[in-house]
Amino acid sequence: QEKTLEDTLSNYQEIVNGLNQLTLSLGEASQLQIERIEARREESLNNIVGDTEEAEALRAEITEEANKEIVEIERRARLRELQFTKIQAIADLAQALVNAQKLPPPFNIIQSGIVGTAGSIQIGVIQAQIDDLQGAQGFATGGFVSGPGTSTSDSIPAFLSNGEFVVNA
């Protein structure tokens, strides 16, 4: 029975390794999408001639739309990454529990409890990050933020980019 469990875990680990490779490929695909959006944005901006208010408004609209697309691609990529990380954590927990059971009594029970608790906490933290990301909204172009909490509670998740700054309430 122990051999069957170890074989199952080994097969599961191979699947997780395949998912890790898939995650890398999807990340590269997301980066290519972002590069295409940025190139399309630059081309569109270069086609706008003049310094009129209409031209500036059109430039701002093009930039805002491109930024929204990029933020959504980045959010989905991060969500996939977290979901795969959760799968890896579950596989690691299962392996650690199998290893704990190989210890002599009563150490096997103690180690299983410690490993199970730590693994459950880790998986819970990852799931909380997934939940936050699924509820997160982007503000790539700025704007007023409203939601739960007070003006200093840090209750709303935020994704910030290099060079940005935050003004407190």
Side-chain angles (χ1 to χ4, degrees):
Q1 189 177 26
E2 186 176 306
K3 178 70 174 150
T4 303
L5 186 55
E6 286 185 12
D7 288 344
T8 301
L9 286 173
S10 177
N11 291 339
Y12 190 69
Q13 191 59 48
E14 288 178 30
I15 292 169
V16 170
N17 291 338
L19 288 174
N20 286 335
Q21 291 299 318
L22 179 61
T23 301
L24 292 174
S25 297
L26 290 172
E28 291 171 4
S30 295
Q31 190 57 42
L32 287 173
Q33 281 182 300
I34 290 170
E35 289 171 8
R36 280 192 225 116
I37 291 167
E38 289 172 340
R40 188 180 69 222
R41 175 187 62 206
E42 290 306 311
E43 182 180 338
S44 296
L45 291 174
N46 289 335
N47 289 330
I48 299 172
V49 181
D51 290 334
T52 65
E53 286 183 23
E54 292 170 342
E56 285 304 313
L58 186 55
R59 286 184 189 100
E61 181 181 332
I62 289 169
T63 300
E64 180 178 348
E65 287 303 312
N67 288 345
K68 284 181 181 178
E69 288 181 58
I70 290 169
V71 165
E72 180 57 22
I73 290 168
E74 289 172 341
R75 187 190 70 78
R76 286 192 318 252
R78 178 68 178 139
L79 183 58
R80 278 192 310 266
E81 180 185 315
L82 285 169
Q83 289 166 334
F84 290 139
T85 299
K86 182 180 170 185
I87 292 168
Q88 179 68 56
I90 292 168
D92 291 345
L93 173 59
Q95 183 64 57
L97 287 170
V98 166
N99 291 340
Q101 289 303 309
K102 293 177 183 177
L103 296 172
F107 301 111
N108 59 347
I109 296 170
I110 295 168
Q111 185 69 13
S112 293
I114 292 169
V115 166
T117 301
S120 296
I121 290 170
Q122 180 185 21
I123 292 166
V125 167
I126 295 167
Q127 184 60 51
Q129 291 172 342
I130 290 170
D131 293 344
D132 284 347
L133 189 56
Q134 287 175 329
Q137 53 188 23
F139 293 95
T141 58
F144 180 74
V145 179
S146 65
T150 67
S151 63
T152 58
S153 67
D154 291 336
S155 302
I156 300 171
F159 292 94
L160 302 174
S161 298
N162 185 25
E164 293 181 333
F165 64 93
V166 175
V167 177
N168 62 14

